[in-house]
Amino acid sequence: AQTVTQSQPEMSVQEAETVTLSCTYDTSESDYYLFWYKQPPSRQMILVIRQEAYKQQNATENRFSVNFQKAAKSFSLKISDSQLGDAAMYFCAYASGNQFYFGTGTSLTVIP
Amino acid sequence: EPEVTQTPSHQVTQMGQEVILRCVPISNHLYFYWYRQILGQKVEFLVSFYNNEISEKSEIFDDQFSVERPDGSNFTLKIRSTKLEDSAMYFCASSEGEVPNQPQHFGDGTRLSIL
């Protein structure tokens, strides 16, 4: 069964600093996608970044980048130059076929 | 930018009653989804819907649940005979094409409270 594990329920970072959120997953599939979603207090989940498993190159979106280690089944999110607006719950997600599996989330606090 | 809209934002219902949660997906999207998030827990997939039928559903989506696209714009989730453990945030999502190739767009959610 596919599972997604986020071992850090809470993280904090100083404004302008860099933080890395961890995610591991378990699957027997070879073709899948991985995502990071952000859920601010307004509740709507917003896609931050996604990675196709067949691509070796790590995905990057502005200040957000991932470290995808397929053999280790690890998919961490790095946020550079953290901003106050980055404060939110961050969910790691795995998708294969038409189903998504989410982790339990990491609550990120940004300290001014 | 087009958005997925959900109504109501908060629904309070007596245990045993039926409840319908409503969603208006983005107009050119063809795939629709419902997810549930119990307070403090992870988001859980319930069901996906395409071409007027369920394409996939999770173990959570039992006979108590049903989905419908009654009029070409709304996408509803009906929960019959609600239980206390149905209290959760329910998120609707839509995508233009099949996930995960196409990104999902989520609504703000409906908070369902069962008394």
Side-chain angles (χ1 to χ4, degrees):
Chain A
Q2 289 84 353
T3 57
V4 178
T5 303
Q6 292 179 250
S7 59
Q8 306 153 315
E10 297 178 346
M11 291 282 285
S12 61
V13 61
Q14 289 285 144
E15 194 175 3
E17 296 295 308
T18 295
V19 64
T20 299
L21 308 184
S22 302
C23 174
T24 58
Y25 59 95
D26 187 27
T27 184
S28 57
E29 303 286 337
S30 58
D31 189 19
Y32 51 88
Y33 291 72
L34 296 162
F35 305 81
W36 278 97
Y37 281 88
K38 171 184 177 181
Q39 186 183 40
S42 64
R43 304 179 302 182
Q44 185 179 57
M45 282 206 294
I46 303 163
L47 178 64
V48 173
I49 198 166
R50 77 177 207 161
Q51 173 83 42
E52 291 93 335
Y54 64 85
K55 288 188 178 178
Q56 292 185 331
Q57 187 173 8
N58 289 324
T60 299
E61 285 286 341
N62 301 315
R63 298 182 294 107
F64 298 88
S65 61
V66 298
N67 184 5
F68 174 47
Q69 302 289 328
K70 190 172 184 179
K73 295 179 182 174
S74 170
F75 183 62
S76 61
L77 174 70
K78 185 171 82 170
I79 306 173
S80 305
D81 186 25
S82 297
Q83 300 174 1
L84 295 178
D86 295 334
M89 282 290 289
Y90 285 81
F91 290 95
C92 178
Y94 162 101
S96 180
N98 217 14
Q99 283 207 30
F100 271 66
Y101 300 87
F102 286 83
T104 49
T106 296
S107 178
L108 179 66
T109 300
V110 181
I111 303 166
Chain B
E1 186 174 333
E3 291 184 342
V4 175
T5 57
Q6 290 185 243
T7 55
S9 58
H10 190 191
Q11 174 79 45
V12 181
T13 300
Q14 289 287 333
M15 185 173 62
Q17 297 297 306
E18 175 182 286
V19 66
I20 297 176
L21 308 182
R22 302 182 189 279
C23 169
V24 179
I26 295 173
S27 61
N28 64 332
H29 286 188
L30 301 176
Y31 295 78
F32 315 110
Y33 315 86
W34 282 102
Y35 292 85
R36 178 181 81 176
Q37 185 182 28
I38 295 171
L39 185 64
Q41 298 186 24
K42 64 183 178 182
V43 176
E44 300 171 292
F45 169 79
L46 292 178
V47 65
S48 60
F49 190 87
Y50 170 71
N51 199 26
N52 284 319
E53 61 183 25
I54 291 173
S55 49
E56 286 196 55
K57 61 182 181 179
S58 70
E59 293 177 350
I60 302 168
F61 195 88
D62 59 20
D63 292 343
Q64 182 194 9
F65 294 89
S66 62
V67 290
E68 193 178 29
R69 189 157 161 79
D71 56 13
S73 62
N74 289 284
F75 178 52
T76 62
L77 174 68
K78 182 189 291 185
I79 309 174
R80 286 181 283 274
S81 188
T82 49
K83 304 187 286 277
L84 294 176
E85 52 264 41
D86 294 328
S87 295
M89 282 290 291
Y90 287 82
F91 291 98
C92 174
S94 69
S95 62
E96 188 173 352
E98 194 170 11
V99 296
N101 296 314
Q102 295 291 326
Q104 290 182 334
H105 297 258
F106 285 83
D108 283 348
T110 293
R111 180 174 299 283
L112 178 62
S113 299
I114 306 300
L115 304 179

